[in-house]
Each structure stands twice: as structure tokens, then as C-alpha cells.
Amino acid sequence: MQVVVRQELLKEFTHRVFTASGVPDKDAETAADVLLASDLRGIDSHGVARLHFYVEKICSGQINPQAEIRIVRETASTALVDGGKGLGLVVGPKANRIAMEKAEACGSGWVTVRNSSHYGIAGYYPLQALGKDLIGWSMTNASALVTPIGGAQRMLGTNPIAIAFPGKEEPPIVIDMATSAVAFGKIEIAMREGNSISSGWGMDKNGRSTRDPEEVADGGILLPLGSTPDQSGHKGTCLAVMVDMLTAVLSGANWGPYVTPFVSKNPPPEKQVGKGTGHFFGALQIEGFMDSEQFKKEVDQWIRTMRKTKSAEDSDGVHIPGDPERRCEEKRRAEGIPLLPQVIENLKLVSSRTGIPVPWK
Amino acid sequence: MQVVVRQELLKEFTHRVFTASGVPDKDAETAADVLLASDLRGIDSHGVARLHFYVEKICSGQINPQAEIRIVRETASTALVDGGKGLGLVVGPKANRIAMEKAEACGSGWVTVRNSSHYGIAGYYPLQALGKDLIGWSMTNASALVTPIGGAQRMLGTNPIAIAFPGKEEPPIVIDMATSAVAFGKIEIAMREGNSISSGWGMDKNGRSTRDPEEVADGGILLPLGSTPDQSGHKGTCLAVMVDMLTAVLSGANWGPYVTPFVSKNPPPEKQVGKGTGHFFGALQIEGFMDSEQFKKEVDQWIRTMRKTKSAEDSDGVHIPGDPERRCEEKRRAEGIPLLPQVIENLKLVSSRTGIPVPWK
């Protein structure tokens, strides 16, 4: 069964599911917006495919749908936010807004967050900053799946980094990248399609390099960007470390191997070293450095120059970060969002649990 | 001929060479401090091995040793600095100081810099922030040596990122990484030692993958971190793009393929799109988020946890970022800095040009 749903309908469904789960209406709308951004941009693993996890965690009391999200400490340009065990899809946008407001007031804003949960795609947050002439950043830690290079143990999350820069006539540059060689979604895709994975992506549970995605999923380990000591896997490790420091050690969230799994079936860590999951948001006011119109024109020139790069053999040329996701979004806004059979089943379960009818016939 | 020089003597020599070249005394001292940090930490390519380049560029008028370094625009937490065609080793520390002062005043400070030149190792700058209970960041762009993934043309610099986090009893975590698979220094080392390089490091001038370091050096191309499309070379590209945006597009410096080469023998680009080389500095006040003592204790716990990671086969275990450089610094502070024959020859030339005697017998 192949189902394609118009994004408005899928968003309305998601919004109503969150409301029915006890999330206040405005927050439920925001949460739906974050999830749909992922489906629109083609990051199918992080969109409505996860709705049932959020609902489950609300029902089981692991997530408080009406959490008080408060600033614990702040300066003119920084803040520590406690998410009150809330929904990451609500905590994230609120903390991001604080960062953007600070940037508008004093040039930049930086917010670290503890006591949150999964916040959707990292790229959602800098996209909010684009329209305000801000350069937005976001990072989050996540439950441990990745080994530091030289090791053979799940010690770090896929800890993504996102940042975006607005163009004037050209579309924005949007960077959103896990700091592991690949995100876990790529392992899942390979399993679904019965393909082997590339070497350098993962290890089995005994720490042996493997090209079998099942072996990675079954208690195995992802490798950091760079994959091997020879190819500078220590650099991918460094990036994951940076994210863990800024999102969790600086906020008082759980870090490294102590982050509670959100979607994986792994047992939760035996101890907690902090509160919930950690995020980090930043915003830089472009006008604080130069005229924002001039900046955007220069970004246009930069993009046009890079597009002219001589192609490598067997390559379709150089892409600007954000190109594939934007093309997907254009297509899906026009044609609807295709849902995989597994996702359809999950949404049916969500529907029967909440009483909200599924958005297809 | 093997020469080992005590670091104080090498620093004094460097300081005097800069003074003799027209750099004001205080600035010359700073510049020597930056170069020596590199030699102490074992990044031999970026230390006194480059002194002759700086002197040459001052003598030829490409660098103004007494440049006026000024803030062009600022907010409470951000600034655009024009380096006045100055010495990067002086412009960098001044701009970094502005970022740190802003962080002490309002929680964070972010400074983008144009019209500068090579600023030494990126890691020098966050090290300055450590003692002030700040989290320091630094990035710089550099002349194009790296192709964006999918391409086969030098379009981006090795564009490093550095950031450091203080521990309490444990030494700090110090990240300093080029965003290419390897820095050009690794190609030079392979040439000097007659070794082949790993696949995934570079291409020859025709865009073909090569393991011959001479072919990379002779007009060839470095690959971004990740190395191939399969191993997420687009992520290394994204990091280099981020650095180019923050250091150069945001400051009005030259970006991408338009950055003037500093040490390479490549001809300068035909056109300029901005002024000089660009840097970006940041500082976050730890106390703005949490008690800095508590933060440092948590960093200690984090480090101790990571050190216990199960080792991969054929590995000496997991290193904390900054470990190898710190160990090198301890050794070289005690035993002196070994100079390679080529560096000795270069320093002799500098000596005869400036009249400052070499610091060895």
C-alpha cells in the first residue's frame, strides 16, 4: 500500500494528535511544524515516522506535555534553559526563540538547554532564523551510538550540527549534518532495502568492522565522520565532543553514554549524570557585522562561484548545502508526502490511541 | 645537522626578528608567542618554519607591520574588525581579545575579521580563553587547496576550527582541526619521508585520486573530511563552507578560490572579492550558563569516562582532543624544540636578512 498525503492534512493530523495527547494547542502546532519540516525536506526518519514515540513517551509520563520551560540563568547574550522534561519539539523552538531575541537585542544569542527530549531535525532551527536576517545555529546530543575513534563502544550520539546563511536571489545555504560518518537512518534504509553498507560506517557489537546493516543495528556501533584513524576519524570525534560539551556538559543534561535512548530499543543507561537531553542554539545578527543586503548578495556570488566548480569524474557536480532538501521540499509541497508501510501502520496506531482519524482514505 | 633549541631562546629570536622587521615591540612579542605555541605543540608546519614567509611579506609590503587594527562595526556582543593588511599573528590575538572582553561584559563575544593574513595555529586562540573561564572558538579561511565533494578543483581552504573546554584536575579538551581530510602539512611530511599517502587524502592536478604526495603538491587537490561521497565527504565540505562564510563572507574578506596564498607557490588569484584573509573568533562565558567550577568538574568526569572506552583492535585506545599536543608541549618545554634542516636554513636566511643572530651555536 502506497499512501501520499498532502502536507497540510498530515500537519493537521499531527497537530491534533499532540493536542489530544495533552499538549497545549499552540505548542502542538509548533511540534507539528517541526515534524513536518523533516518530512517535507526528505529526512523521513525524523518526521511523522516518530510521532508514535512522542505519543508513547507522553502517555508513559516520560515527557511532560505541559512542562514549564524556564530560564535558569542568563546574561544579555546567553541563557541556560531547563526544559522541564518537556517535548523537545516544543522546548527546542522556545529556546531557539530566546537565542534569536537576544541576537536582535545585543548582536548574538546563545542558549544551552537541559531536561529536554528529541527536538526533531537540527536544521529546523536555523531555518527559523533566516527570515530575521540572523545566522542560526543548532546542535543536540543524542543517545550513544558512536564510538570515539580508537574505541569500540557506543559512547557518543550522532550529535548533529546545523547552521544556515541566507542568500538574496539564490536559496539559502543550509547545513544540517550528523557528526558520525552516517546517521542511523542510513543503516535503517540499507536494512529495508536489503543492501550492504559502505565500509567505514559501522562496527558489529564486538567492535569488528562490518558491511552488514543488521549487525550494526543489533547492538553494533557507528563510526565518527572520517571513519578510520587514517582518514581523520579523530576529527569526527572532535565534532561530536564539541556538541556534547555545548549541549550537555554546559547545560547539566546527560552526556556521552548516559543519554536516554529515544527511538532505539537499547536499555536506558544505568545512571544519570544530568537531566534529560541537551541542545544548544545560537543566533548572530548579520547587521551587527555588515549590511545584511550586502551579505546576501555576497552569498549569492559565493554560491554561483561554487556551482561552477569543475566536476569530478563520475559525479553530477558540486551541490550547495541544502540543495537536495530544498528540491525535495518543493516536490513534496506540490505532490504530497509519501508514507512508507511501516509509517502508515504506526500512524494508524496513533490514530486509534488518540481518536484522531488518519489523514487518508 | 640536528639542532634542538630551548624554547625561550627560539622565542626571543623570533621576537627580535619581528622587531627588526618593523613590528612594534609588544606586537612582536605576541607574534612570537603565537608561532612558538605551534612549535611547542608539535605542529611544526605552522611555527618558526614559516617565519621567513612573514618577514618576506613584511619586506615586500604585502603585510603592514604597523597596521591600524580597528573595529568597523559593533554591537554589545559582536564586532567586525579590519586588520589593516596587518600581520595575522598580531591581528588575530587583538580580535580574539575583543571577543573575550565582550564575553566578560555580556556573556559572549563574536568577532569576524577581514584584511588580515595567516594567523598561526587556530588552537592558539581558544587556549587564551581557558584561563579566563571562557570557552574560546577560532576559525580562519586560507587559500584554496580543497575541492568541495563532487568537484575536482581547488575552491576552499583547509579552513580549520578550534575550540577548547577547561577541566579542573584534568587537562583541557582542546580541539584544533582542519576541515579537510588532512592538512597540507601531512602531504609535506610524506614527501620528506618518501612515503605514499593514504587514499582519500588528495587528487592530482587532473582530478584523479592519487597516493603520491608529489602529485598532490604539484597543483593537485586536497579532499574534504570524509574524503568520498560514500563516506560523507559532503560533511567535510559543509564544515569548510561554514568557516568560509563566518570568516570571510561575513567580514568582507576574500573567500573560496580568491584567498591569496600565503605559503604555497601557487600564483595569486586573478581577482579579489574582498580584503585579505578572514578569521572568526568567539568566546562564551561559562558563568553565564553555570558555575564554572561545577562545569570543570563535569568536564573531568566526562574525560575520565571517555578514557575508559573499550579499545578497538590494533588501537592504543581513545585519546582526548588535545592529548598529543599537550604531551609534545611538556616534552619540548623540558628538552627544547628540534629543528629540521630546511627550517635551520630558513632561519639562517632570516638571521642574515635581519641581523639577529641564530639562537644556536
Side-chain angles (χ1 to χ4, degrees):
Chain A
M1 180 186 168
Q2 164 76 326
V3 167
V4 178
V5 187
R6 274 179 41 217
Q7 65 102 7
E8 300 88 343
L9 296 179
L10 195 54
K11 191 166 177 174
E12 194 199 336
F13 170 74
T14 306
H15 179 167
R16 291 180 66 193
V17 164
F18 279 125
T19 311
S21 307
V23 179
D25 186 60
K26 268 282 171 206
D27 290 345
E29 190 180 354
T30 302
D33 197 50
V34 180
L35 281 191
L36 262 291
S38 182
D39 288 303
L40 283 167
R41 295 174 72 77
I43 305 151
D44 296 342
S45 55
H46 283 52
V48 293
R50 286 186 172 174
L51 184 55
H52 65 293
F53 286 116
Y54 291 102
V55 171
E56 252 175 58
K57 281 180 194 265
I58 291 172
C59 293
S60 68
Q62 289 175 75
I63 287 178
N64 176 0
Q66 299 179 23
E68 187 205 354
I69 297 163
R70 66 193 174 89
I71 294 179
V72 178
R73 195 185 272 213
E74 68 182 318
T75 69
S77 71
T78 65
L80 165 64
V81 164
D82 187 299
K85 246 175 83 175
L87 195 57
L89 305 170
V90 173
V91 178
K94 284 194 183 167
N96 191 40
R97 213 170 304 130
I98 294 169
M100 293 191 292
E101 283 165 5
K102 285 184 180 285
E104 285 174 335
C106 78
S108 77
W110 307 87
V111 176
T112 186
V113 182
R114 71 181 180 210
N115 214 4
S116 183
S117 53
H118 201 288
Y119 81 162
I121 49 169
Y124 175 82
Y125 300 94
L127 289 173
Q128 306 308 304
L130 281 177
K132 300 176 195 285
D133 285 353
L134 300 172
I135 296 168
W137 313 45
S138 110
M139 306 178 192
T140 187
N141 77 350
S143 63
L145 284 171
V146 183
T147 186
I149 205 75
Q153 190 179 346
R154 294 176 162 185
M155 295 296 278
L156 292 161
T158 53
N159 297 5
I161 299 173
I163 185 168
F165 304 92
K168 187 167 168 66
E169 293 169 1
E170 296 289 336
I173 297 169
V174 182
I175 294 169
D176 180 0
M177 52 176 271
T179 53
S180 46
V182 293
F184 194 72
K186 291 233 181 169
I187 308 295
E188 291 174 315
I189 292 169
M191 283 199 288
R192 209 155 51 219
E193 298 179 350
N195 290 332
S196 61
I197 55 174
S198 295
S199 66
W201 289 13
M203 291 171 161
D204 67 16
K205 62 185 165 198
N206 299 312
R208 291 196 193 89
S209 179
T210 181
R211 297 194 55 189
D212 179 350
E214 304 276 356
E215 289 189 345
V216 176
D218 179 25
I221 306 158
L222 291 178
L223 286 161
L225 175 60
S227 300
T228 64
D230 243 16
Q231 311 268 17
S232 298
H234 66 284
K235 296 184 182 180
T237 306
C238 282
L239 295 170
V241 170
M242 176 181 85
V243 173
D244 210 26
M245 285 287 137
L246 294 170
T247 61
V249 178
L250 191 58
S251 71
N254 289 298
W255 42 256
Y258 301 112
V259 184
T260 303
F262 185 71
V263 298
S264 83
K265 287 167 202 136
N266 303 318
E270 280 166 28
K271 74 170 187 179
Q272 300 265 294
V273 294
K275 289 181 177 176
T277 296
H279 317 309
F280 183 77
F281 301 99
L284 283 169
Q285 190 195 114
I286 296 168
E287 285 281 338
F289 300 100
M290 64 157 64
D291 295 340
S292 55
E293 287 305 295
Q294 186 192 343
F295 177 77
K296 290 182 210 172
K297 281 185 201 162
E298 202 68 18
V299 169
D300 282 358
Q301 286 310 313
W302 188 98
I303 289 172
R304 288 165 191 159
T305 302
M306 289 296 154
R307 286 207 195 283
K308 287 184 197 140
T309 305
K310 181 185 157 196
S311 270
E313 285 173 19
D314 309 321
S315 157
D316 61 347
V318 165
H319 298 277
I320 303 300
D323 276 356
E325 295 84 2
R326 191 185 61 257
R327 286 178 195 137
C328 182
E329 179 162 352
E330 285 162 8
K331 189 172 153 69
R332 291 187 172 184
R333 277 196 185 275
E335 299 173 11
I337 294 170
L339 300 177
L340 293 167
Q342 181 65 51
V343 175
I344 294 168
E345 288 314 307
N346 285 337
L347 294 184
K348 280 183 186 165
L349 277 175
V350 167
S351 168
S352 67
R353 191 158 190 173
T354 58
I356 310 298
V358 294
W360 63 83
K361 296 247 165 70
Chain B
M1 179 185 168
Q2 165 76 328
V3 167
V4 178
V5 187
R6 273 180 41 218
Q7 65 102 8
E8 300 86 344
L9 296 178
L10 194 56
K11 191 165 177 176
E12 193 198 339
F13 170 75
T14 307
H15 179 169
R16 291 180 66 192
V17 164
F18 279 125
T19 311
S21 307
V23 180
D25 186 61
K26 268 280 171 207
D27 291 345
E29 190 180 353
T30 302
D33 197 50
V34 180
L35 281 192
L36 262 290
S38 183
D39 288 302
L40 282 168
R41 294 175 71 77
I43 306 151
D44 296 344
S45 55
H46 283 53
V48 294
R50 288 187 170 173
L51 183 56
H52 65 293
F53 285 117
Y54 291 102
V55 171
E56 252 175 59
K57 283 181 192 265
I58 291 171
C59 292
S60 68
Q62 289 175 73
I63 286 178
N64 176 359
Q66 298 178 22
E68 187 204 353
I69 297 163
R70 65 191 176 90
I71 293 178
V72 178
R73 194 185 273 213
E74 67 181 319
T75 69
S77 71
T78 66
L80 164 63
V81 164
D82 188 298
K85 245 176 84 174
L87 194 58
L89 305 172
V90 173
V91 177
K94 284 193 184 167
N96 191 40
R97 213 171 304 130
I98 294 168
M100 293 191 291
E101 284 164 6
K102 285 185 181 285
E104 284 174 335
C106 79
S108 78
W110 307 87
V111 176
T112 186
V113 182
R114 70 182 181 210
N115 215 6
S116 183
S117 53
H118 201 289
Y119 81 162
I121 48 168
Y124 175 83
Y125 300 95
L127 289 175
Q128 306 307 304
L130 282 179
K132 299 176 196 285
D133 285 353
L134 300 171
I135 296 168
W137 312 46
S138 114
M139 305 178 192
T140 186
N141 77 351
S143 63
L145 283 171
V146 183
T147 185
I149 205 77
Q153 190 180 345
R154 293 175 162 186
M155 296 296 277
L156 292 161
T158 53
N159 296 6
I161 299 172
I163 185 168
F165 304 92
K168 187 166 169 67
E169 292 167 3
E170 297 290 335
I173 296 169
V174 182
I175 294 169
D176 180 1
M177 51 175 271
T179 53
S180 45
V182 293
F184 194 73
K186 291 234 181 172
I187 308 295
E188 291 174 315
I189 292 169
M191 283 199 287
R192 208 155 54 218
E193 298 179 351
N195 291 333
S196 60
I197 56 174
S198 294
S199 66
W201 289 13
M203 291 170 160
D204 68 16
K205 63 185 165 200
N206 299 312
R208 289 196 195 89
S209 179
T210 180
R211 298 194 54 189
D212 180 350
E214 304 276 356
E215 290 189 348
V216 177
D218 180 25
I221 305 157
L222 290 178
L223 286 160
L225 176 60
S227 301
T228 65
D230 243 16
Q231 312 268 17
S232 299
H234 66 283
K235 295 184 183 180
T237 306
C238 282
L239 295 171
V241 169
M242 176 181 84
V243 172
D244 211 26
M245 285 287 136
L246 293 170
T247 61
V249 178
L250 190 59
S251 71
N254 289 298
W255 42 257
Y258 301 112
V259 184
T260 304
F262 184 72
V263 297
S264 83
K265 287 167 202 138
N266 303 318
E270 279 166 29
K271 75 169 186 179
Q272 300 266 293
V273 294
K275 289 182 177 175
T277 296
H279 317 308
F280 183 76
F281 301 99
L284 283 169
Q285 190 195 116
I286 295 168
E287 285 281 338
F289 299 101
M290 65 157 65
D291 294 340
S292 54
E293 287 304 297
Q294 187 192 343
F295 176 77
K296 290 181 209 172
K297 280 185 203 164
E298 202 69 18
V299 169
D300 282 358
Q301 285 310 313
W302 188 98
I303 289 172
R304 289 165 191 161
T305 302
M306 289 296 154
R307 286 208 196 281
K308 289 187 197 138
T309 305
K310 182 186 157 194
S311 270
E313 284 172 20
D314 308 321
S315 157
D316 62 348
V318 165
H319 298 277
I320 304 301
D323 276 355
E325 295 83 2
R326 190 185 61 257
R327 286 178 195 139
C328 182
E329 180 163 350
E330 285 163 6
K331 189 173 152 69
R332 291 188 173 184
R333 277 196 186 274
E335 299 173 11
I337 294 170
L339 299 177
L340 292 167
Q342 182 64 49
V343 175
I344 294 168
E345 288 314 307
N346 285 336
L347 294 184
K348 281 184 186 164
L349 278 174
V350 166
S351 168
S352 67
R353 190 158 191 173
T354 56
I356 310 298
V358 294
W360 63 81
K361 296 246 166 69

